Amino acid sequence: MARIRDEHIERARQVPVRSVWLRLGLPDVREGAAFSSPFREDRKPSCQLGGDKNIFFDYGTGENLDPIALVRKVRGCMFKEAVAFVLNRPIEALLDRQQQVITTTAGGGSPPQQAASGGGFPLDAIEQLAQVRSWRPEAIRALGAESRNAQAPREVHFPMRDGTGAVVGFRRRRSDGRPFSNGNKVLSVKDSDSSLMCPWPLPEQGPVLVVEGEADACAALSAGFAAVVATPGCSVPRKAISALQKILARREVVLFPDPDEYGRKWLERVGRALGNARCAVRFAPADDLDLDKRLRREKNPQEALAALVRDASPFIIRDNEKGAPRLQSNLTPLILPNEAHGERLSDTARVLFPILAPKHVCFQRGGKMVEIANLDGEQALCILNADAFRSRIERHFEVVVYRAGPNDSLVLKPTVCPGEPTKSAPF
């Protein structure tokens, strides 16, 4: 078999490792500065890039990678493909010519086929899947995905994690996007626990999107949303529910159910579990498409996803106990502030005013809340006091509040709007 000439290998090892790092889509870091490893949970910066040895060095594990080894780790490719990537040249141009002639003559065939990609070297499984599904390769890699199988059909393996971030299994997809022989597009590796797929460590700021499956997660990550957690499809086992509650406790969460009966059941199960974990739960009402296809039809997926997150509705945990009050379904829920459980007056106002304003029933004038009223047959603006505004709220919203439930959970209960929030509201 033909081998790459030694001078090409040596030249590849001298290519600045930081330039290769950036071409691989890894986070931009300063050469010589300490940073956290993107390959493992690393809360204290313990890695460096570059230096006299031109390597990536991880002080936590002792791993040191030259440019070629770094490419092999990230892309999961063979040594020849890694050298070709570093030098940005076709593999055939790097082979020893004498060895190449011997190999061709012995085989009685033509030289190896030119690589499929425009850069002269074959796409790895992750890049091929990204091309087929219109995702960004960096989005797939953000989930910790790995390229598997050197020969077609190649596969991408997505790691599944428990509540501590430990990998407990993998889900498989073919890199060409086609189903496996049994007709399924996704299969689990043998002996895998069915659990969550997400970037790890999960970003700590902002809301977290929870979706059904890695396809929706890749679409959201491709649209620029960094904090995304995917369940293993619509059927979520108990261990995955426990992991969700552990890593998302008390965070703001937006759920994206699929537009079918299974999606509705997923929404109820996941929404209730996260509500019991004291999360502020909202959901994007299902369209006729799942999130992946929904974003694919948009000219600007980033803006479209931001709008879906901004306009998401509060998720209501409905009390199913016999004889317990049930929430109505024809009015928009309005969650009253309860600082003991993390809700503030500003959170309530953020829901109230965008819905009330288009109805043109209340207005602000001179720093006061007013409404249109009939006085002696003529229309006039009348000031609304706190008690009057309370009654107007209850006409247009289903007023609810979080109350303590069993097992340290939270449950939304119907209530009446008290006077204090309306008196302190910023009208």
Side-chain angles (χ1 to χ4, degrees):
M1 180 178 293
R3 58 187 293 274
I4 291 182
R5 295 169 60 181
D6 291 340
E7 57 262 35
H8 294 314
I9 296 174
E10 185 60 30
R11 188 161 67 252
R13 288 186 171 133
Q14 293 174 3
V15 172
V17 69
R18 184 174 179 273
S19 68
V20 177
W21 178 277
L22 296 176
R23 283 177 57 207
L24 289 167
L26 295 168
D28 190 1
V29 294
R30 187 161 51 87
E31 186 170 346
F35 60 93
S36 297
S37 172
F39 306 120
R40 62 180 177 84
E41 185 177 0
D42 185 14
R43 298 193 180 278
K44 291 185 178 180
S46 60
C47 300
Q48 282 187 309
L49 196 65
D52 295 336
K53 295 184 178 180
N54 193 38
I55 60 173
F56 163 77
F57 187 74
D58 188 330
Y59 292 93
T61 63
E63 184 177 41
N64 65 86
L65 305 173
D66 65 15
I68 300 172
L70 178 64
V71 172
R72 295 193 67 184
K73 179 181 181 68
V74 175
R75 294 169 63 93
C77 60
M78 303 296 287
F79 183 84
K80 292 179 183 178
E81 295 174 343
V83 175
F85 179 92
V86 173
L87 296 178
N88 199 17
R89 296 182 63 187
I91 293 177
E92 289 73 24
L94 306 177
L95 297 178
D96 187 296
R97 290 184 180 275
Q98 184 177 0
Q99 288 288 329
Q100 196 171 12
V101 171
I102 293 173
T103 303
T104 303
T105 305
S110 57
Q113 288 187 353
Q114 189 75 354
S117 74
F121 45 86
L123 293 172
D124 75 350
I126 288 177
E127 289 179 334
Q128 184 182 10
L129 181 62
Q131 194 174 80
V132 169
R133 296 300 299 265
S134 300
W135 299 330
R136 294 172 56 216
E138 296 81 6
I140 302 176
R141 293 191 179 102
L143 292 175
E146 303 174 2
S147 298
R148 298 288 177 90
N149 295 359
Q151 304 297 325
R154 293 175 296 171
E155 296 178 3
V156 176
H157 287 206
F158 292 86
M160 293 184 285
R161 304 178 185 277
D162 62 15
T164 67
V167 176
V168 294
F170 289 88
R171 274 166 60 101
R172 304 162 49 200
R173 278 182 174 266
R174 282 182 49 155
S175 62
D176 58 12
R178 296 178 180 177
F180 292 95
S181 57
N182 64 357
N184 293 334
K185 285 193 173 182
V186 182
L187 293 177
S188 291
V189 174
K190 186 179 179 181
D191 297 328
S192 291
D193 280 344
S194 189
S195 197
L196 308 177
M197 290 158 285
C198 61
W200 196 265
L202 194 67
E204 297 179 356
Q205 301 298 321
V208 181
L209 309 191
V210 180
V211 299
E212 295 185 49
E214 66 279 0
D216 286 353
C218 288
L221 288 163
S222 296
F225 211 98
V228 184
V229 177
T231 64
C234 60
S235 180
V236 191
R238 187 175 299 177
K239 285 184 179 179
I241 289 291
S242 298
L244 265 178
Q245 292 176 313
K246 184 170 184 179
I247 67 175
L248 297 182
R250 295 181 179 272
R251 292 198 62 169
E252 181 184 356
V253 177
V254 182
L255 308 181
F256 283 83
D258 281 354
D260 52 27
E261 181 63 18
Y262 296 107
R264 187 191 65 79
K265 292 179 179 179
W266 176 89
L267 174 63
E268 289 293 328
R269 177 168 169 75
V270 174
R272 179 179 289 271
L274 291 176
N276 289 340
R278 299 186 174 232
C279 294
V281 186
R282 297 183 294 138
F283 73 98
D287 195 352
D288 56 342
L289 300 172
D290 60 26
L291 182 61
D292 178 28
K293 295 175 182 176
R294 209 167 171 177
L295 294 178
R296 200 180 305 170
R297 71 183 181 184
E298 298 288 343
K299 290 183 179 179
N300 191 326
Q302 187 170 4
E303 288 185 3
L305 182 57
L308 289 171
V309 173
R310 182 187 65 239
D311 300 334
S313 303
F315 176 80
I316 301 299
I317 299 179
R318 303 191 180 275
D319 198 331
N320 293 323
E321 296 178 9
K322 188 175 181 180
R326 293 183 61 84
L327 303 181
Q328 304 173 28
S329 58
N330 59 330
L331 295 177
T332 301
L334 180 69
I335 303 175
L336 295 184
N338 185 341
E339 293 189 1
H341 298 314
E343 293 78 44
R344 298 163 298 179
L345 184 63
S346 58
D347 298 323
T348 301
R350 194 174 293 114
V351 175
L352 190 153
F353 289 106
I355 292 176
L356 202 59
K359 297 184 178 183
H360 300 119
V361 293
C362 297
F363 306 89
Q364 190 182 64
R365 186 177 179 86
K368 299 290 185 179
M369 202 72 168
V370 298
E371 69 174 351
I372 299 175
N374 285 317
L375 297 178
D376 298 328
E378 295 184 0
Q379 289 189 334
L381 292 178
C382 295
I383 295 176
L384 279 173
N385 60 28
D387 290 332
F389 186 57
R390 286 166 54 196
S391 69
R392 304 305 186 271
I393 289 175
E394 292 169 357
R395 289 180 189 175
H396 301 282
F397 295 90
E398 184 173 9
V399 182
V400 293
V401 66
Y402 274 115
R403 301 294 188 198
N407 302 320
D408 197 34
S409 65
L410 291 178
V411 178
L412 279 173
K413 298 281 189 177
T415 188
V416 295
C417 185
E420 283 306 311
T422 52
K423 289 178 181 178
S424 58
F427 302 146

